[in-house]
Amino acid sequence: MDSGTGEGYTHADHPALAHQLFAAYARAIRVRTLASVMGEQGLPETDRSFLAFGQRFEDGLLRQATSRTLEQSMDEGWKALRGLPRTELTRLSNDQIKRHLEEPADA
């Protein structure tokens, strides 16, 4: 998968974003299973944020109704990651987090 992505092929941020999305979605699925046993209210806040991420990921990326560009898909991916704690975004650089996930100071 990585051999055809990234700078010179797609977008420089594409591989890191894809890896972070896959890792976060895998965790969301594990947390969903745990929540089915113990209930969502029994989960730590971080796990609940992954549950919410999973829903955003499925709604925004997996269930796309029409075709879209790579840039549009990447924008959806960044939006899906916005609710996760920054400490959990281990596959993104600090620069990527700052550019794509932090609110502008004048917003």
Side-chain angles (χ1 to χ4, degrees), residues 3-103:
S3 63
T5 65
E7 196 165 357
Y9 295 101
T10 58
H11 186 285
D13 292 333
H14 186 194
L17 175 60
H19 288 240
Q20 185 63 67
L21 288 167
F22 286 134
Y25 190 56
R27 182 159 174 193
I29 296 302
R30 288 191 309 270
V31 170
R32 240 183 229 161
T33 302
L34 183 59
S36 73
V37 173
M38 63 185 289
E40 189 174 331
Q41 294 308 314
L43 298 173
E45 183 62 33
T46 297
D47 285 349
R48 287 195 302 270
S49 73
F50 275 94
L51 283 178
F53 160 80
Q55 193 63 54
R56 288 190 304 273
F57 180 77
E58 290 171 354
D59 292 344
L61 285 156
L62 299 184
R63 294 187 188 112
Q64 72 182 57
T66 61
S67 62
R68 61 178 166 226
T69 66
L70 172 65
E71 291 295 325
Q72 290 169 323
S73 291
M74 288 180 67
D75 286 344
E76 287 295 323
W78 294 119
K79 280 195 273 188
L81 291 172
R82 284 201 179 103
L84 294 176
R86 300 302 181 249
T87 56
E88 299 294 328
L89 302 176
T90 58
R91 288 167 174 76
L92 300 175
S93 69
N94 289 334
D95 180 58
Q96 288 168 321
I97 291 170
K98 184 175 183 173
R99 281 186 290 120
H100 299 289
L101 300 174
E102 292 181 358
E103 295 295 324

